[in-house]
Amino acid sequence: MLQRLRGFRDMYPEYMRARRIVFDKICSVARSFGFHEVDTPSVELLDLFRIKSGEEIVKQTFSFVDKGGREITLIPELTPSVSRMIAARKDLIKPVKWFSFPKMWRYEEPQSGRLREFYQFNADIFGVANITADAEVMALAMEILDSLGLKGKYVMKFSDRILMEELLRSLNIEKIEEAFRIIDKKDKIPEERFYEEMLKITSEENVDSLISLLKLSGDVDTILSKFEHFERSEILASLKDLLKAYGKTATLDLSIVRGLAYYTGVVFEVHDANGEFRAVLGGGRYDRVVELFGAQPTPAVGFGMGDAVLELLMRREGVWPEEKIEVDYFIAIIPGFRKEAIEIAMELRRSGCVVDIDLSRRSIGKQLKYAHRINAKYTIIVGEEIKNGEVALKDMESGEQRNVKIGELKEVIEK
Amino acid sequence: MLQRLRGFRDMYPEYMRARRIVFDKICSVARSFGFHEVDTPSVELLDLFRIKSGEEIVKQTFSFVDKGGREITLIPELTPSVSRMIAARKDLIKPVKWFSFPKMWRYEEPQSGRLREFYQFNADIFGVANITADAEVMALAMEILDSLGLKGKYVMKFSDRILMEELLRSLNIEKIEEAFRIIDKKDKIPEERFYEEMLKITSEENVDSLISLLKLSGDVDTILSKFEHFERSEILASLKDLLKAYGKTATLDLSIVRGLAYYTGVVFEVHDANGEFRAVLGGGRYDRVVELFGAQPTPAVGFGMGDAVLELLMRREGVWPEEKIEVDYFIAIIPGFRKEAIEIAMELRRSGCVVDIDLSRRSIGKQLKYAHRINAKYTIIVGEEIKNGEVALKDMESGEQRNVKIGELKEVIEK
């Protein structure tokens, strides 16, 4: 028997119902913020991803040569495709606020919270350089989590590339790009290696100072009070005030890195409060990326949130929706009354109800058993009584059964 | 600049809004019929598709060898994955009614109504051998089209593999599989070639009879009256009666083929009434497919409907939804009142409204212009009046503007 590929998922109805509730909620919060949905191809030229991420990305993608000899790939992220869309439409009204929730693929070793095929919610604002836009996307991220019942169960941590640059310069580090490159991989390399590489561009004392700076995490005002003389502090303080107006709080944490070479301002990550899982979501400001794809220079800020870690967290916190299918009515049929039963089904379906109907021509006993197993709230039994314009209505929870006029069916049930 | 691949689409917000309305409607009708949503991987082992379709399918797929040396493919259809899901769960309650609306990919020459990447709605019933299930899926297909405003704009045509088999036998054709194979490709080969191949298994006179049979199309009773002595006629007549109970009609058309070798009973296709486009949707009964994937023998009937032809037809009939973005409120901000503006935005957003807010710190004149361009129904201007608990509310259509108490904002607007 042929199994599915490792890191891929089959999703059955019970599970899908829970996912649909979560996905709909996420999209509906994004819409309420004035974000509009877009969709992009799932397959793109591999070169599109090389532009932003270099040859590095190739190893992590499902990429291949197609029958036309083109190097193509399943998309591992959304920014390149969306940037191309921005570039292609000169008439777009800025700010542009877009979201999408596509499948993505990464050729990585599957593990808890990391799959080869996953869905990722993305929201971005293009065309606003002001910190107001950073606040709007960070608030959106937190409002989504709050709306999913995760209030108090997560921490929004942020850092800032410009502040970091000021800090590096204060440590007499002039090779800023090189320093960011090293800081970027700090958590993936041994501390000695970090020292070794840093010592090529600054003194041992400065590396020690840098390391303690990178450990700073906590209340925004407390940390910023150490950096009052830095220009960027004022902006970050105003970010904190804006978030407060949204009813949200964030922690300043200089260890948040997220590819400082790629981001140009605020970077942020949400982690579960226990720190048990990988990041729930991450994002930041990337003002110099969109122009790489042929657009006018376009300031941009946004975030991405995969479905896997979010689900782990929601399950742990007991807020993952119940996984069960259900229908409003099952219509059981006494032989000879199928036509009438179908007519009743269609009337209820058109009025917005979820209605299943016997298709198997089984006994009434078996039909009722099936109705129980698909969690029907009511069973409508269509038989002889239809000649008096009546059907039997059975409440599947209480077991109570009584005859009801067809015309009064909806009314009786709504009570 | 790197373009997207041919046969793939970038979808901007205006277009996505229309699509979302259509997609939501389709899924909501499927739910009302008691179908439950499932999701499958977009990438599968290529062998999974060879099982059902043989080597033929390989040419038409986006398939490749992955970094682990496996022959894998982007899914060109759903049946194999869904059959595997049926096989893997012995506890499933039959009948199983599933739908999904995934992306699929085919490596074919793009043309009107045929793309390399497309969405396809699928609905299937597993576990019911009775014609009642055929009627239920055909009715679902038609109810979806009716709900999209296409009533009277399409024709549901069906044929039947079992009737065809009886007809072939009545023409003394014994090599049924071979005959189906040839009939299957009838429309793709020249008539002489069809004759030539058919003459290998029957007489010229019989081929002529077969050709006139294949041209039969029209009222079910009229055509079936020619075949009263065939056992299958009764079943097909009852299919017609069942559809009538659903409020639907279908045409019996023996030219509908759809791979008779794969289907085991009724096959159907919906075409636009003018016959301008390729089929809008197609399906049928395939009782011997699911077991190929390791499941118990499982009767099955279902259909697939791509998004491309449906869109062409809806546009032609003027029922494609309007392509425009819109928001309920835009919140314009007088300098100094951003905090209060954000608080009002969040209150409205939480109450279910779609609310955009100034992020660009532009002049009020420019903010109002932006509000017009994003089709805001109202603009709320937050300024000095907030000190009296008031904001200015501007109706963007009438241009009328007046001051409103914040607490009464929702109430005033709902009127």
Side-chain angles (χ1 to χ4, degrees):
Chain A
M1 200 184 131
L2 291 165
Q3 298 297 335
R4 64 174 181 275
L5 296 166
R6 215 158 53 93
F8 289 71
R9 293 170 286 181
D10 285 331
M11 300 187 189
Y12 287 88
E14 299 81 359
Y15 179 51
M16 270 308 286
R17 177 182 173 272
R19 289 178 64 85
R20 187 53 64 202
I21 291 169
V22 171
F23 275 48
D24 283 352
K25 176 57 95 174
I26 292 171
C27 293
S28 119
V29 174
R31 283 199 182 89
S32 80
F33 271 63
F35 284 74
H36 302 286
E37 191 177 7
V38 295
D39 195 17
T40 70
S42 296
V43 184
E44 297 271 12
L45 288 170
L46 187 53
D47 278 341
L48 194 70
F49 298 92
R50 286 194 175 106
I51 287 174
K52 193 189 118 194
S53 312
E55 205 56 35
E56 187 65 17
I57 193 86
V58 176
K59 277 189 301 207
Q60 296 157 22
T61 58
F62 276 90
S63 52
F64 58 105
V65 176
D66 77 1
K67 296 182 174 68
R70 284 170 293 263
E71 255 193 310
I72 64 180
T73 185
L74 301 184
I75 60 166
E77 59 153 324
L78 202 72
T79 309
S81 309
V82 165
S83 297
R84 182 197 53 221
M85 287 176 69
I86 296 280
R89 280 271 300 267
K90 309 280 181 241
D91 65 318
L92 285 171
I93 309 150
K94 306 277 172 58
V96 161
K97 296 168 80 176
W98 284 356
F99 80 92
S100 62
F101 211 153
K103 266 189 183 173
M104 293 182 190
W105 298 265
R106 293 208 185 152
Y107 198 81
E108 294 178 306
E109 200 50 34
Q111 45 187 272
S112 172
R114 196 166 77 182
L115 296 157
R116 287 189 165 173
E117 176 177 76
F118 55 97
Y119 284 85
Q120 186 176 291
F121 173 80
N122 297 269
D124 297 273
I125 299 177
F126 299 96
V128 184
N130 203 287
I131 197 79
T132 50
D134 306 58
E136 176 94 342
V137 296
M138 289 169 77
L140 169 62
M142 289 188 269
E143 184 70 9
I144 286 171
L145 298 175
D146 291 349
S147 78
L148 294 174
L150 290 171
K151 198 161 190 164
K153 312 297 186 185
Y154 66 87
V155 190
M156 166 66 82
K157 299 176 179 180
F158 73 101
S159 180
D160 182 63
R161 147 118 196 184
I162 300 169
L163 179 68
M164 284 298 294
E165 193 166 329
E166 288 187 272
L167 289 171
L168 291 172
R169 289 196 199 281
S170 77
L171 296 172
N172 295 314
I173 297 172
E174 290 303 325
K175 291 187 170 168
I176 302 292
E177 295 302 322
E178 180 61 11
F180 280 146
R181 203 187 53 73
I182 304 167
I183 294 171
D184 243 4
K185 60 181 184 185
K186 180 170 176 295
D187 289 344
K188 290 168 207 149
I189 57 175
E191 190 154 292
E192 314 90 83
R193 177 100 183 280
F194 180 75
Y195 263 95
E196 191 184 303
E197 295 210 19
M198 268 296 175
L199 286 175
K200 289 178 193 161
I201 55 172
T202 190
S203 68
E204 190 166 339
E205 188 191 348
N206 282 340
V207 180
D208 288 336
S209 306
L210 178 62
I211 286 177
S212 39
L213 281 174
L214 291 177
K215 284 184 182 147
L216 284 177
S217 171
D219 177 61
V220 179
D221 293 333
T222 312
I223 295 179
L224 288 180
S225 68
K226 297 181 202 295
F227 307 125
E228 268 177 352
H229 52 297
F230 290 121
E231 278 178 34
R232 188 62 174 172
S233 288
E234 201 182 320
I235 302 283
L236 296 180
S238 78
L239 172 61
K240 185 208 130 187
D241 292 339
L242 287 167
L243 289 176
K244 198 176 162 198
Y246 283 98
K248 309 296 179 196
T249 51
T251 297
L252 183 53
D253 183 330
L254 297 187
S255 74
I256 299 298
V257 178
R258 293 201 74 76
L260 283 176
Y262 157 66
Y263 287 109
T264 56
V266 169
V267 290
F268 59 89
E269 267 179 13
V270 165
H271 288 262
D272 63 296
N274 298 10
E276 186 184 342
F277 308 119
R278 28 181 104 239
V280 177
L281 61 87
R285 178 166 284 282
Y286 52 102
D287 287 348
R288 288 195 291 271
V289 172
V290 180
E291 67 201 70
L292 299 176
F293 298 90
Q296 293 294 100
T298 305
V301 58
F303 71 94
M305 175 173 69
D307 59 337
V309 176
L310 179 68
E311 181 181 329
L312 288 176
L313 178 56
M314 288 182 71
R315 285 187 190 278
R316 193 192 66 191
E317 299 301 340
V319 294
W320 183 251
E322 193 183 0
E323 295 186 359
K324 71 180 248 196
I325 56 166
E326 57 181 3
V327 304
D328 296 326
Y329 309 109
F330 177 75
I331 303 200
I333 310 175
I334 308 278
F337 298 94
R338 183 162 300 273
K339 178 177 167 292
E340 294 81 357
I342 290 173
E343 284 164 2
I344 293 169
M346 287 306 284
E347 201 174 317
L348 289 170
R349 285 167 173 173
R350 286 198 184 116
S351 74
C353 301
V354 172
V355 184
D356 205 350
I357 184 168
D358 172 66
L359 297 171
S360 303
R361 300 183 185 274
R362 289 185 279 215
S363 69
I364 285 293
K366 281 193 177 158
Q367 290 186 42
L368 283 170
K369 212 165 160 186
Y370 176 74
H372 264 300
R373 295 190 67 191
I374 61 169
N375 301 310
K377 287 179 206 137
Y378 294 92
T379 295
I380 295 166
I381 304 166
V382 182
E384 281 295 338
E385 303 87 343
I386 200 82
K387 290 173 181 161
N388 308 322
E390 288 186 351
V391 291
L393 178 69
K394 189 180 172 79
D395 182 321
M396 299 302 283
E397 201 181 333
S398 70
E400 197 193 325
Q401 181 176 326
R402 63 191 175 109
N403 281 8
V404 174
K405 291 267 170 211
I406 294 173
E408 292 159 18
L409 204 46
K410 272 223 73 175
E411 195 182 318
V412 168
I413 290 162
E414 273 157 11
K415 272 188 218 156
Chain B
M1 200 185 131
L2 291 165
Q3 297 296 335
R4 64 176 181 274
L5 295 166
R6 216 157 53 92
F8 289 72
R9 294 169 287 181
D10 286 330
M11 301 187 189
Y12 287 89
E14 298 81 1
Y15 179 51
M16 270 308 287
R17 178 181 172 272
R19 289 177 64 86
R20 186 53 63 203
I21 291 170
V22 171
F23 276 48
D24 284 352
K25 176 58 93 173
I26 293 170
C27 293
S28 121
V29 175
R31 284 200 181 88
S32 80
F33 271 63
F35 284 75
H36 302 285
E37 191 177 8
V38 295
D39 195 17
T40 70
S42 296
V43 185
E44 296 271 13
L45 287 170
L46 186 54
D47 278 343
L48 194 71
F49 299 91
R50 286 196 175 105
I51 288 175
K52 193 188 120 195
S53 312
E55 204 55 34
E56 188 64 18
I57 193 85
V58 176
K59 276 189 301 204
Q60 296 157 24
T61 58
F62 276 89
S63 52
F64 57 106
V65 177
D66 78 0
K67 294 181 175 69
R70 286 171 291 264
E71 256 193 309
I72 63 180
T73 185
L74 299 185
I75 60 166
E77 59 153 325
L78 203 72
T79 309
S81 309
V82 165
S83 297
R84 182 196 53 219
M85 286 176 69
I86 296 280
R89 280 269 302 265
K90 310 277 180 247
D91 65 318
L92 285 172
I93 310 149
K94 305 277 172 56
V96 161
K97 297 168 80 176
W98 284 354
F99 80 92
S100 61
F101 210 153
K103 267 189 184 173
M104 293 180 189
W105 298 265
R106 293 208 187 152
Y107 197 81
E108 293 179 307
E109 201 50 33
Q111 44 187 273
S112 173
R114 197 165 76 183
L115 296 157
R116 288 188 164 173
E117 176 177 76
F118 55 97
Y119 283 86
Q120 186 175 292
F121 173 80
N122 298 269
D124 297 274
I125 300 177
F126 299 96
V128 185
N130 204 286
I131 197 80
T132 51
D134 306 59
E136 175 95 340
V137 296
M138 289 170 77
L140 169 62
M142 290 188 270
E143 184 70 9
I144 286 172
L145 298 175
D146 292 349
S147 79
L148 294 174
L150 290 171
K151 197 161 190 162
K153 311 297 186 185
Y154 67 87
V155 191
M156 166 65 83
K157 300 175 177 179
F158 72 100
S159 180
D160 182 62
R161 147 120 195 181
I162 300 168
L163 178 69
M164 283 298 295
E165 193 165 329
E166 287 187 273
L167 289 171
L168 291 172
R169 289 195 198 284
S170 76
L171 295 172
N172 294 316
I173 297 172
E174 290 303 326
K175 292 188 170 167
I176 302 292
E177 295 303 321
E178 180 62 8
F180 281 145
R181 201 187 53 74
I182 304 166
I183 295 171
D184 244 3
K185 58 182 183 183
K186 179 171 176 295
D187 289 343
K188 291 169 206 147
I189 57 175
E191 191 153 292
E192 312 90 84
R193 175 101 183 281
F194 180 75
Y195 263 95
E196 192 182 302
E197 296 210 19
M198 269 295 176
L199 287 175
K200 290 178 192 161
I201 56 172
T202 190
S203 68
E204 189 166 340
E205 189 190 347
N206 282 342
V207 180
D208 288 336
S209 306
L210 178 61
I211 285 176
S212 40
L213 280 174
L214 292 177
K215 284 184 183 148
L216 284 178
S217 171
D219 176 63
V220 179
D221 292 335
T222 313
I223 296 180
L224 288 180
S225 68
K226 298 180 201 296
F227 307 126
E228 270 177 349
H229 51 296
F230 290 121
E231 278 179 34
R232 188 63 174 173
S233 288
E234 200 182 321
I235 302 282
L236 296 180
S238 78
L239 172 60
K240 185 209 129 185
D241 291 339
L242 287 167
L243 289 177
K244 197 175 163 200
Y246 283 98
K248 310 295 178 197
T249 52
T251 299
L252 182 54
D253 183 330
L254 298 186
S255 74
I256 299 299
V257 178
R258 294 203 73 77
L260 283 176
Y262 156 68
Y263 288 109
T264 56
V266 169
V267 289
F268 58 89
E269 267 179 14
V270 165
H271 287 263
D272 63 297
N274 299 9
E276 186 183 343
F277 309 119
R278 28 181 104 236
V280 178
L281 61 86
R285 178 167 284 283
Y286 53 101
D287 286 349
R288 288 195 292 272
V289 172
V290 179
E291 67 201 69
L292 299 176
F293 298 91
Q296 293 294 101
T298 306
V301 58
F303 72 94
M305 174 174 68
D307 59 338
V309 177
L310 179 68
E311 181 180 330
L312 288 176
L313 177 56
M314 289 183 72
R315 284 187 191 279
R316 193 191 69 191
E317 299 301 341
V319 295
W320 184 251
E322 192 182 1
E323 294 185 358
K324 72 180 248 195
I325 56 166
E326 59 181 1
V327 304
D328 297 325
Y329 309 109
F330 177 74
I331 303 200
I333 309 175
I334 308 278
F337 298 95
R338 183 162 300 272
K339 177 177 168 292
E340 294 81 357
I342 290 173
E343 284 165 2
I344 293 170
M346 288 305 285
E347 202 176 315
L348 289 170
R349 285 167 174 174
R350 286 196 185 117
S351 74
C353 301
V354 173
V355 183
D356 205 350
I357 185 169
D358 172 66
L359 297 171
S360 302
R361 299 185 187 273
R362 289 186 280 215
S363 69
I364 285 294
K366 283 192 175 159
Q367 291 186 42
L368 283 170
K369 212 164 158 187
Y370 176 75
H372 264 299
R373 297 191 67 190
I374 61 170
N375 301 310
K377 288 180 205 136
Y378 294 93
T379 296
I380 295 166
I381 304 167
V382 183
E384 280 295 337
E385 303 87 343
I386 199 83
K387 290 173 181 163
N388 308 321
E390 290 186 349
V391 293
L393 179 69
K394 189 181 171 76
D395 182 320
M396 298 303 283
E397 202 181 331
S398 70
E400 196 193 327
Q401 182 177 326
R402 63 190 174 112
N403 281 8
V404 174
K405 290 266 172 213
I406 295 174
E408 291 160 17
L409 205 46
K410 272 222 74 174
E411 195 181 317
V412 168
I413 290 162
E414 274 159 9
K415 273 189 212 153

